[in-house]
Amino acid sequence: VASLFRVTIGFGLAVGLGVPLGLLLGWFQRLHDAFNPLIQVLRPISPIAWIPLAILWFHVDDRAPIFLIFLASVFPIMVSAMAAVQNIQPVYIRAARNFGLGRIELFRRVIFPATLPQVLTGIRIALGVAWLVVVAAEMIAVNSGLGYLIIDARNAGKRYDLVVAGMLLIGLIGLGLDLLVRQLEKF
């Protein structure tokens, strides 16, 4: 439950910020040119490398892994949204403008629906990464969750049955989350 809580908050924040920001950066070339270098510098930094700073800034509580999950998730979501907008066929935009759609209607009726499949793919990839990061962060930055269970079971009496059970639970929950996102793609 603790792991799912952390993933839900961190991943939810990443989707809430990453999708709109990615769509805006993909649509407005000046914004893209201004912020893309910063994104491309921060994106390849492993979320695990941020663990010492997360502990320093947020101490050993839920905020540290939530921050790490957010960092791990926001960049794949943002980049996929930017690429989705930039890959829209220009003929769709020209046709919408010929029909007199304004900027907001164009975005709502053409750009958002056209980008949704690629954005959902980015969300699906980011969710997998978020689930990996929560386990790693819980091994170091908190005292609860599946990652903590695995480390604690290993250290406290070498309970490898609990280690394997934790690993299986991580895999099963990851499968469930992936199936949930796949259901969203079908809508």
Side-chain angles (χ1 to χ4, degrees):
V1 172
S3 298
L4 282 170
F5 168 77
R6 293 177 185 119
V7 169
T8 300
I9 300 299
F11 185 73
L13 291 170
V15 169
L17 181 69
V19 170
L21 195 55
L23 294 174
L24 287 172
L25 291 172
W27 185 248
F28 295 105
Q29 188 62 41
R30 286 186 181 171
L31 282 177
H32 180 271
D33 292 345
F35 289 102
N36 191 51
L38 177 64
I39 292 167
Q40 298 310 323
V41 166
L42 293 175
R43 186 175 62 88
I45 299 172
S46 169
I48 306 305
W50 288 90
I51 288 176
L53 290 175
I55 292 172
L56 178 68
W57 293 337
F58 304 112
H59 307 288
V60 179
D61 67 14
D62 282 337
R63 293 174 298 167
I66 288 170
F67 170 73
L68 296 170
I69 292 161
F70 170 80
L71 276 180
S73 305
V74 74
F75 292 115
I77 292 169
M78 196 181 324
V79 169
S80 71
M82 286 188 320
V85 172
Q86 293 168 343
N87 290 331
I88 292 175
Q89 295 292 328
V91 68
Y92 297 138
I93 295 170
R94 285 193 304 268
R97 287 188 174 144
N98 285 340
F99 282 111
L101 292 181
R103 287 186 139 198
I104 294 173
E105 274 301 295
L106 174 69
F107 195 81
R108 189 177 71 79
R109 296 183 70 190
V110 177
I111 294 171
F112 187 71
T115 60
L116 200 53
Q118 193 170 344
V119 169
L120 286 174
T121 300
I123 286 173
R124 186 174 169 207
I125 291 167
L127 183 58
V129 173
W131 194 237
L132 292 171
V133 169
V134 74
V135 173
E138 288 173 346
M139 288 181 170
I140 299 168
V142 291
N143 297 324
S144 63
L146 290 170
Y148 179 76
L149 168 74
I150 290 171
I151 287 296
D152 189 51
R154 187 205 65 181
N155 291 340
K158 302 201 184 307
R159 294 284 316 268
Y160 291 107
D161 57 328
L162 288 176
V163 171
V164 172
M167 291 169 61
L168 288 173
L169 194 53
I170 289 165
L172 290 173
I173 293 171
L175 174 63
L177 293 172
D178 186 63
L179 291 173
L180 185 68
V181 174
R182 285 173 139 188
Q183 289 302 314
L184 286 174
E185 289 177 339
K186 291 181 181 178
F187 289 115

